[in-house]
Amino acid sequence: MTDDRPLNPALLPAGLRDLLPPEAETEATSVEAIMDAFAAHGYQRVKPPLLEFEESLLGAAGAAVADQTFRLMDPDSHHMMGVRADMTPQVARIATTRLSHAPRPLRLSYAGQCLRVRSAGLATERQVAQAGIELIGPDSPDADAEIAAVGAEALAAVGLTRVSFDLTLPPFVPTLLDEAGFTAEAGASLGRALDRKDAAAVTELGGSLAGTLTDLLLAAGPAERALAALEAAALPPGARALAKRLAATVAAIRARAPGLRLTIDPVEFRGFRYHTGVTLTVYAPGRHEELGRGGRYLCGDTEPATGLTLYPDAVLRAAPPRAPKPRVYVPVEADATRAAALRAEGYATVAGLEAVADPAAEARRLACTHVLIAGGLTALAAE
Amino acid sequence: MTDDRPLNPALLPAGLRDLLPPEAETEATSVEAIMDAFAAHGYQRVKPPLLEFEESLLGAAGAAVADQTFRLMDPDSHHMMGVRADMTPQVARIATTRLSHAPRPLRLSYAGQCLRVRSAGLATERQVAQAGIELIGPDSPDADAEIAAVGAEALAAVGLTRVSFDLTLPPFVPTLLDEAGFTAEAGASLGRALDRKDAAAVTELGGSLAGTLTDLLLAAGPAERALAALEAAALPPGARALAKRLAATVAAIRARAPGLRLTIDPVEFRGFRYHTGVTLTVYAPGRHEELGRGGRYLCGDTEPATGLTLYPDAVLRAAPPRAPKPRVYVPVEADATRAAALRAEGYATVAGLEAVADPAAEARRLACTHVLIAGGLTALAAE
């Protein structure tokens, strides 16, 4: 119990934090660069509210985050509301209600903050920014590929050019087990062994699939190697169709983004509870933190859709640093039109509010890079 | 009671809404244009979290919105948290804790969403966007004027060039009544009469101040008229000093932003509970909805500060419409490098995902303004 812990006014609840200069500026600029890349591909922005009735927030796709959602009583209607933990279910709601008659393919984008009751997985934050796209209507490898290619372009816009997309196919293992006649109980044991990447247990529990599943487990890695293993495997028709769809998706991504690093884990199926086809997880080279994830699902339980959510906080940590805007100290006696001209050239001006004896010293004190003296712009040497 | 009202999946709680295309895009672009104007004047962005412990959120400046704040139990610490209803108290917390050693004047900016339990005043929204600046440290007419001039420049950046700043001086009436020896009870009655703009009651209850207060009540309007009335009034020393400060602030604003429309209500003092000096309320011509408000206060109860919060939702309603980005339908067989070149030129491209017989018809169906046919860009006539 920590109820009586004395509160320091600087203390924030666990998992919540302030972004200070210059990080807050960098994060906002990165989100807008990502959204600009989405807009350039015809994705149109929507902005759902932070709060909704829990029935609409937690139905369908939203059920996956139900246990992470903060709830509040609405004093107006006396219904329970939830603070969104994920924006995809909100965008799906918009697509199936107010935009149900908008022409398909429907391309929507969104950016905003989400709150979570507990920290999930590796991330320790309870407030998570999201910036994403949804492509609603088509069910094709080209649609899946567009999402990956546009996502890669958005990450490149913030300097992340060497990202890796990890593809999985959550329905593959359940379809394979079902076609091989596994009981639910035997399938669950085998599923847990696959979850643990436990090749010995997969061999032991795999029955007629032991060889196939062990081969596929070991084939996780670069896309072409995994696709070759799937091609070589003896698969029943349903699993074969899923494998072909994955291969077609990889080919479509390669056509759009030839340099993109693609990996496949053919027997991974955790963590994508509402996904019905190819899923994507994005990583920066050498980092374990996810930059984003997405994949194919059913929008409003019936309409084919795919999407990708990027996590700007993680993107910010992985992206190369940005050069700060140059800052000019403008003494109080300086010409205002000169300061306006400097702003138009891209400088930030910091106005003196009273006369100072040494403008250069004052400029340094205020973390300026330049000072305006007698109308002339002087760069200050870094100390 | 509305507990058992059946819920339509499209229904949102009262005061919460979806922004759809193109409004969501316009709002986001407007916020960034406002933030760019703030950054050009050296205001550095901070991003406090949506949730804080209620002790830090509702202390000092935050007490003004305590009764509008949603509360949540933190399952981690078992302390109560609040969802912010206003960002100014959060920025003040940052300035007095993590940035307490940062050099003054400290210029900070912020943008984000706030939630309110009840709708306040004329606004019906319970989710309110804010974009603002705080200037912490100096206590001078020049500092107050900078806030007004930078705010006007930010509004001009989104096309609102004819805004009006309404100035008030909340400590003026209390100081005047105190210096004239009014009891708390008599002062409160007179205060309510001033609140109602009830000149007859002010005359009846005003005692020795009846003439002065009636003159000042009627002098509300263009800044120069109100300042002349204050100049002509017989004022005790404390009230006189406040009137001089207001006149100096108007002169400093005029020096920075000569064309700005300024009005003054010298005896208005409601709605600015934590303000200690000149306050600002911003209006667009012919509209009653506030575009923003701010003014002088004590940051962390001790440090002089002034600030201005703009309301992007209201700004969006008042601003001239923006031309949408031109949208080009790019048939599936078109050259990908041509589409990339069009994006670089500022077009949004909408990729065809399958072959269509009539690309121009498909472009119209998808609300495109242009179509790419055989490498040539064709503008579609508006229907």
Side-chain angles (χ1 to χ4, degrees), chain B residues 226-242:
Chain B
L227 289 179
L230 282 166
E231 178 69 29
L235 298 177
R240 172 59 64 207
L242 287 167

Side-chain angles (χ1 to χ4, degrees), chain B residues 60-87:
Chain B
V65 291
D67 61 353
Q68 298 200 10
T69 301
F70 277 112
R71 265 100 161 174
L72 288 163
M73 167 71 87
D74 178 10
D76 177 57
S77 68
H78 299 165
H79 279 289
M80 288 305 289
M81 303 187 291
V83 185
R84 68 177 175 219
D86 184 11
M87 294 182 77

Side-chain angles (χ1 to χ4, degrees), chain A residues 114-133:
Chain A
C114 298
L115 287 174
R116 301 201 171 158
V117 173
R118 281 183 293 274
S119 310
L122 288 176
T124 56
E125 288 92 357
R126 288 199 289 182
Q127 178 171 336
V128 182
Q130 295 188 333
I133 46 177

Side-chain angles (χ1 to χ4, degrees), chain B residues 290-310:
Chain B
E290 294 178 7
L291 300 179
R293 62 157 62 194
R296 182 155 288 285
Y297 64 100
L298 288 175
C299 182
D301 289 333
T302 55
E303 190 173 16
T306 181
L308 179 69
T309 304
L310 298 179

Side-chain angles (χ1 to χ4, degrees), chain A residues 1-14 16-25 27-29 32 35-37 39-56 70-79 81 83-84 90 93-94 97-99 103-105 107-109 113-115 117-118 126-127 129 135 138 140 142-143 146 153 256 313 325 327 332 343 347-354 362 365-367, chain B residues 1-14 16-25 27-29 32 35-37 39-56 70-79 81 83-84 90 93-94 97-99 103-105 107-109 113-115 117-118 126-127 129 135 138 140 142-143 146 153 256 313 325 327 332 343 347-354 362 365-367:
Chain A
M1 289 295 289
T2 53
D3 283 23
D4 49 3
R5 178 174 62 181
L7 272 179
N8 176 326
L11 190 71
L12 291 172
L16 296 168
R17 65 201 172 102
D18 296 315
L19 280 190
L20 299 183
E23 282 76 21
E25 174 74 29
E27 196 224 29
T29 308
E32 290 315 306
M35 296 305 288
D36 284 351
H41 284 275
Y43 286 80
Q44 296 186 293
R45 194 162 179 152
V46 294
K47 184 195 173 198
L50 284 167
L51 275 179
E52 293 193 18
F53 289 127
E54 63 175 8
E55 287 94 328
S56 63
F70 278 112
R71 265 99 162 174
L72 288 164
M73 166 70 87
D74 178 10
D76 178 57
S77 69
H78 298 165
H79 279 288
M81 304 186 292
V83 184
R84 68 177 174 219
Q90 297 190 296
R93 173 184 56 72
I94 291 173
T97 57
R98 294 185 62 188
L99 295 181
R104 267 52 177 171
R107 289 175 170 90
L108 299 177
S109 67
Q113 306 295 315
C114 298
L115 287 174
V117 173
R118 281 183 293 274
R126 288 199 289 182
Q127 178 171 336
L135 174 49
S140 69
D142 278 325
E146 175 173 312
E153 206 167 306
R256 280 170 173 75
D313 305 302
K325 201 168 186 165
R327 280 165 70 85
V332 67
R343 286 191 293 274
Y347 290 90
T349 60
V350 176
L353 294 172
E354 53 190 44
E362 180 68 357
R365 191 181 73 82
L366 294 173
Chain B
M1 289 295 289
T2 52
D3 284 22
D4 50 3
R5 178 173 63 180
L7 273 177
N8 175 327
L11 189 71
L12 291 172
L16 297 167
R17 65 200 173 102
D18 296 316
L19 281 189
L20 299 183
E23 282 75 21
E25 175 73 29
E27 195 223 28
T29 309
E32 291 313 307
M35 296 305 287
D36 284 350
H41 284 274
Y43 287 80
Q44 296 186 293
R45 193 161 181 154
V46 294
K47 183 195 174 198
L50 285 167
L51 275 179
E52 293 193 19
F53 289 127
E54 63 175 9
E55 288 93 327
S56 62
F70 277 112
R71 265 100 161 174
L72 288 163
M73 167 71 87
D74 178 10
D76 177 57
S77 68
H78 299 165
H79 279 289
M81 303 187 291
V83 185
R84 68 177 175 219
Q90 297 191 296
R93 173 184 57 73
I94 291 172
T97 56
R98 294 185 63 188
L99 296 180
R104 268 53 176 169
R107 291 174 169 91
L108 299 176
S109 66
Q113 306 295 316
C114 298
L115 287 174
V117 173
R118 282 182 293 274
R126 289 198 289 181
Q127 178 170 336
L135 175 49
S140 69
D142 278 324
E146 176 173 313
E153 207 167 305
R256 279 170 175 75
D313 306 301
K325 201 167 185 164
R327 280 165 70 86
V332 68
R343 288 192 293 275
Y347 290 90
T349 60
V350 176
L353 293 172
E354 51 190 42
E362 180 68 356
R365 191 181 73 81
L366 293 173

